[in-house]
Amino acid sequence: MLNFLPSSDDVIAAEFSGKVSRAEMDEMLDRLEAAVETNEKTHFFCTIENYEGFETDGLPHIMSRGWQLIGKREKLGRIAVVTDTTWLRWAARLESALLPGISYETFTMDERDRALAWVEGKELLPHRSAFTIIETDTPDVLGFELDGKLTAAQMNALADQFNESLKLGQPRRLLGRFKSYRGFAAGGLADSDFWAMKRDMIRTLDRYALVGAPDWMETMVQALDPLFRVQIRCFDADEENEAWDWLEAQPQTEHAIAA
C-alpha cells in the first residue's frame, strides 16, 4: 500500500507498507517525474513498514521509468529511506552508492521526524551527532555519550579533542554512556590519530566506567580486563549515579562532537 503525505511542491513524501501494486508504483513515478520537470531540485522521503514486496507484473515497465529518472539525477536532491528492516537499509545504501552526487541517507523508524526535517531542508545534517562530551566538576574526570553510528568526521574530531587533553595528562577517569551503539563509518578505519588516541587513553586512565554498554562489549571488557592496569567496571543504564560516585565526580555540561 502507498500513502502520500502532505509536503511542499519540491518534496515527495510517502509511506509504503504491505504489498505495493503496479498502479501505486506508476502513481509514485508520475509524481516524481512531474516534480523533476517543475523544480530545480526534487527531494524524496519514504517510510517502509511491514514490506511484502511489489507486484512483479509490469516490472520491465517500472524499471524503464526508473532508469529515465536516474538519467535526470542532477535534478534529484535529498533522499531519505526510513525503515527498521535491515536488508532494506542495506539495499538502500547499495543504491546510494550507484547514485553519485545525490544526498542519499537511510534512517531507522525512531529517526523518522529528523529524516523528514532533513529532506525538507529544516535540518542541515541528516543525523545528529552520535558522540557527546560530558564535562564534570573535576578536571581529571570526563564522560561521553555514544548514541548512533560514528562518522569518519566525528572520529577525527574526537581524536583531536581527546589528544589535546592527553597532552595534559587528562582525563585520569572516564565514563562512557551507551545509548544505541551502531559502530562507525568504514572511512574511520584509516584514521591513525583516532586509534593512537585510544591506545594512549588506556595508558592514561586509572578508572573507566561503562554505563549501559551492550552485552557483547561487557563480555569483551571482562575478557580483556586482566591485560590492562586501568580499573574497568560495567554498570546498568539505571546505575549511572553509582558510576559517577565510583569515579568521584559529577556531570556538569554536555556538548556534541561535530558531525
Side-chain angles (χ1 to χ4, degrees):
M1 185 174 71
L2 169 65
N3 177 47
F4 287 101
L5 304 173
S7 62
S8 58
D9 291 341
D10 63 345
V11 173
I12 305 296
E15 297 173 328
F16 291 93
S17 62
K19 196 173 187 68
V20 181
S21 69
R22 172 183 173 175
E24 288 172 326
M25 289 299 296
D26 268 324
E27 185 180 4
M28 168 65 73
L29 291 168
D30 286 344
R31 290 207 182 195
L32 278 169
E33 289 170 354
V36 165
E37 291 300 323
T38 303
N39 303 300
E40 182 178 349
K41 287 282 187 180
T42 294
H43 313 286
F44 180 69
F45 166 90
C46 76
T47 65
I48 307 174
E49 288 189 285
N50 304 316
Y51 183 61
E52 298 175 7
F54 58 88
E55 294 179 358
T56 56
D57 178 42
L59 180 60
H61 163 72
I62 296 298
M63 290 187 66
S64 174
R65 293 190 66 183
W67 277 112
Q68 290 177 32
L69 274 173
I70 291 174
K72 300 176 182 178
R73 61 179 178 271
E74 73 281 354
K75 300 199 70 177
L76 296 176
R78 297 176 295 275
I79 297 177
V81 176
V82 184
T83 181
D84 282 338
T85 305
T86 303
W87 75 264
L88 284 173
R89 287 205 302 273
W90 276 107
R93 291 185 187 119
L94 177 61
E95 185 178 33
S96 71
L98 302 175
L99 299 174
I102 298 176
S103 299
Y104 196 130
E105 297 285 341
T106 61
F107 301 81
T108 56
M109 291 301 296
D110 60 359
E111 298 174 307
R112 180 189 185 281
D113 291 346
R114 185 181 182 92
L116 181 57
W118 173 68
V119 167
E120 293 176 331
K122 298 174 183 178
E123 288 282 356
L124 293 178
L125 298 172
H127 300 279
R128 57 179 172 70
S129 177
F131 200 93
T132 300
I133 294 290
I134 306 170
E135 305 281 357
T136 76
D137 58 359
T138 304
D140 283 349
V141 183
L142 197 63
F144 68 85
E145 177 183 290
L146 187 53
D147 186 7
K149 183 175 182 178
L150 280 173
T151 66
Q154 287 171 5
M155 292 173 71
N156 184 59
L158 180 59
D160 288 343
Q161 174 146 345
F162 274 109
N163 281 331
E164 287 301 313
S165 297
L166 288 168
K167 291 177 183 177
L168 303 174
Q170 298 174 346
R172 304 297 301 181
R173 297 180 179 182
L174 184 68
L175 179 142
R177 178 199 296 153
F178 295 85
K179 289 288 189 70
S180 173
Y181 178 54
R182 298 207 296 271
F184 47 82
L189 289 171
D191 192 335
S192 59
D193 287 344
F194 178 80
W195 299 112
M197 176 273 291
K198 293 197 71 172
R199 179 196 64 219
D200 293 342
M201 185 73 76
I202 292 297
R203 293 173 179 171
T204 302
L205 293 175
D206 56 48
R207 288 189 184 184
Y208 184 15
L210 285 77
V211 179
D215 292 341
W216 67 265
M217 189 177 293
E218 285 198 29
T219 301
M220 182 178 69
V221 165
Q222 291 166 1
L224 296 177
D225 185 52
L227 302 178
F228 301 113
R229 66 171 187 80
V230 56
Q231 298 179 61
I232 305 177
R233 284 184 58 180
C234 296
F235 297 83
D236 291 337
D238 60 358
E239 296 177 326
E240 184 171 331
N241 288 337
E242 290 90 331
W244 286 117
D245 289 342
W246 181 62
L247 296 176
E248 299 178 330
Q250 291 301 314
Q252 296 292 303
T253 60
E254 302 186 9
H255 59 90
I257 288 288

